[in-house]
Amino acid sequence: MATGRGTSSARREAGGPVADDFEAMWSTLAPVGRSAASGGYFRQPWASAEGELRSWFVEACAQRGLRVVGDGLGNLVGWWGEEHATRPDERLLTGSHLDSVLDGGAYDGPLGVVSALAAIDRLRERGVVPARPVGVSVFVEEEGSRFGLACLGSRLLTGATSWERARELRDRDGVALPDALEAAGLPGPGPADPDLLAGVTTFVELHVEQGRALVDLGRAVGVASGIWPHGRYRFELTGTADHAGTTRMQDRADPMLTYAATALAADEQARLRGSRATFGRVEVVPNGTNAVPSRVTAWLDARAESEDAVTDLVAALEQAATRRAGTDGTTVRVVAESVSGLVLFDPDLARRVAADHSGGDWPVLPTQAGHDAGVLSATGIPTVMLFVRNPTGVSHSPAEHAELPDCLAGVDALADTLERLCT
């Protein structure tokens, strides 16, 4: 994306002052947490880069006169229009997250937050007076990149996950979640925390598309119909450490062989079933070049069209691992770390949001990626998602991208949606 390099006339044609504000916000965020080596982003929750982004959000809300409230986890909401609302108990929430996967892209999460603030600017530019308060939210640890549980902030906020369970989570370095919060200057959840979702009756999340459906359709904006069920499963494969040179191949109990066969089975089974199966993280002990490992721990990300399909896929891979373990002299243990069921967004709300726009209705399409919107929807809050076209279809990578005109089309789409819902 260009960041403020076009002519002023081009920016006015792209959307006027809001376009300038969007580009200015994006330019401010662009260097935060970015790796000089890869160009990717490391914005892990409760670490310095993500903390800098949350401070930026508070300042951006203050500049717009939004009342910011937060909880002990670092979840934040900036509220607009409370003083004039005629329906103060029917709150409308938008927003997304600011954290990233390891070496991730710029757009996954922050695009929704920046677009939400720009949409508020657009509504003010139009002279809109909301009948319902409109909030811009930032949820923490959406990616699960540090503590392994995706959408942790929204799960704790909605009660989908208990603090008793979450407080036992540890990151890769062995840091417990309460200690990470303390290091970030946050007390953790407590009885004094405000209920950030009190009165929220609708949630709208804008997100960069994490696929190529809108590219194939030739459309800049789409609406989500639902989210595939998905889960994260830890495969613990145990063998016997030994010398790489002196131990005969037939005398080994090598868990790496069990893992390799299981990873190949995941590819085969997912292709046969039209599902998704990915081993994207592996830890090896002792992790020595000249040693047969004693243990391999591998994390499976599994996704499919139905919950039964996910269950069957994981069961098939556990069976494949167990069969191979019998050959290798190893053992297998599978632990479900997080499981999210099928989410079907409110179909009437999706149709209403998608219909009657210049250029025709926006396309309605499913997504295989998890989002905070799915967590809020599962608790009964009517929810809708907007997608902005991603020309490469690549996500969770430094190559993740969206063109400026499409981003501004997304801002307008979000502003239109919020105006429909708040007036």
Side-chain angles (χ1 to χ4, degrees):
M1 175 194 291
T3 52
R5 293 186 177 90
T7 65
S8 59
S9 62
R11 287 197 296 272
R12 282 196 297 272
E13 290 171 5
V18 170
D20 290 343
D21 289 346
F22 180 93
E23 289 191 82
M25 286 189 283
W26 200 261
S27 177
T28 300
L29 297 191
V32 180
R34 190 173 192 179
S35 165
S38 69
Y41 287 87
F42 292 82
R43 294 166 167 172
Q44 276 52 69
W46 305 296
S48 59
E50 189 257 2
E52 185 176 343
L53 294 180
R54 284 192 290 111
S55 296
W56 164 84
F57 174 76
V58 171
E59 182 179 345
C61 287
Q63 290 170 353
R64 290 163 172 80
L66 308 188
R67 182 180 68 90
V68 178
V69 291
D71 62 16
L73 290 165
N75 293 310
L76 298 167
V77 179
W79 288 105
W80 171 60
E82 291 175 303
E83 64 276 19
H84 301 299
T86 58
R87 293 151 59 193
D89 297 329
E90 299 177 27
R91 293 174 174 256
L92 174 60
L93 192 64
T94 185
S96 192
H97 62 96
L98 293 171
D99 62 301
S100 75
V101 298
L102 297 169
D103 206 22
Y107 296 81
D108 181 353
L111 181 63
V113 176
V114 172
S115 297
L117 292 170
I120 296 292
D121 295 341
R122 176 73 78 208
L123 294 177
R124 282 177 157 156
E125 199 175 74
R126 297 175 184 175
V128 172
V129 178
R132 303 166 61 181
V134 180
V136 179
S137 60
V138 170
F139 297 108
V140 294
E141 180 64 308
E142 191 270 354
E143 298 290 3
S145 64
R146 183 171 181 185
F147 287 96
L149 186 55
C151 300
L152 180 58
S154 58
R155 286 177 186 268
L156 286 168
L157 193 58
T158 60
T161 295
S162 69
W163 176 240
E164 287 69 26
R165 178 194 174 192
R167 68 183 302 148
E168 300 302 321
L169 295 173
R170 280 174 165 70
D171 67 11
R172 298 167 193 243
D173 298 320
V175 177
L177 177 56
D179 294 334
L181 291 170
E182 182 179 0
L186 293 163
D193 278 356
D195 182 356
L196 301 186
L197 298 179
V200 172
T201 56
T202 315
F203 179 59
V204 183
E205 181 172 4
L206 179 143
H207 206 278
V208 68
E209 190 193 5
Q210 296 171 291
R212 292 184 51 85
L214 291 175
V215 174
D216 294 342
L217 292 170
R219 305 297 294 274
V221 174
V223 178
S225 59
I227 300 174
W228 275 19
H230 53 281
R232 298 181 182 190
Y233 304 84
R234 187 175 72 248
F235 280 61
E236 299 174 351
L237 314 174
T238 304
T240 303
D242 220 327
H243 195 291
T246 61
T247 310
R248 298 182 304 173
M249 302 303 288
Q250 62 267 33
D251 293 337
R252 301 181 180 201
D254 187 349
M256 185 61 79
L257 299 178
T258 311
Y259 163 68
T262 306
L264 291 173
D267 175 74
E268 178 184 24
Q269 290 296 321
R271 290 173 185 267
L272 289 172
R273 298 160 185 261
S275 303
R276 311 283 191 272
T278 307
F279 281 104
R281 176 185 170 195
V282 181
E283 291 180 358
V284 182
V285 176
N287 204 27
T289 304
N290 60 348
V292 177
S294 62
R295 185 171 71 254
V296 174
T297 305
W299 282 263
L300 170 72
D301 182 300
R303 304 171 191 244
E305 287 186 307
S306 71
E307 294 171 26
D308 287 344
V310 173
T311 300
D312 291 345
L313 174 61
V314 175
L317 298 184
E318 184 172 3
Q319 290 170 7
T322 302
R323 283 195 302 269
R324 179 67 198 207
T327 301
D328 297 329
T330 60
T331 62
V332 176
R333 179 172 178 255
V334 179
V335 179
E337 289 196 339
S338 69
V339 179
S340 299
L342 176 67
V343 173
L344 295 175
F345 294 126
D346 187 315
D348 292 333
L349 180 58
R351 281 193 295 269
R352 186 170 148 213
V353 167
D356 300 327
H357 299 281
S358 59
D361 294 355
W362 295 329
V364 179
L365 46 113
T367 179
Q368 292 76 38
H371 300 282
D372 292 310
V375 175
L376 269 62
S377 177
T379 64
I381 297 174
T383 299
V384 68
M385 287 194 73
L386 300 177
F387 291 131
V388 171
R389 178 167 50 195
N390 175 344
T392 66
V394 174
S395 187
H396 284 188
S397 156
E400 182 179 86
H401 185 63
E403 296 290 342
L404 177 60
D406 288 347
C407 291
L408 296 178
V411 171
D412 281 336
L414 181 58
D416 291 347
T417 299
L418 296 177
E419 185 173 0
R420 285 186 178 192
L421 296 174
C422 79
T423 56

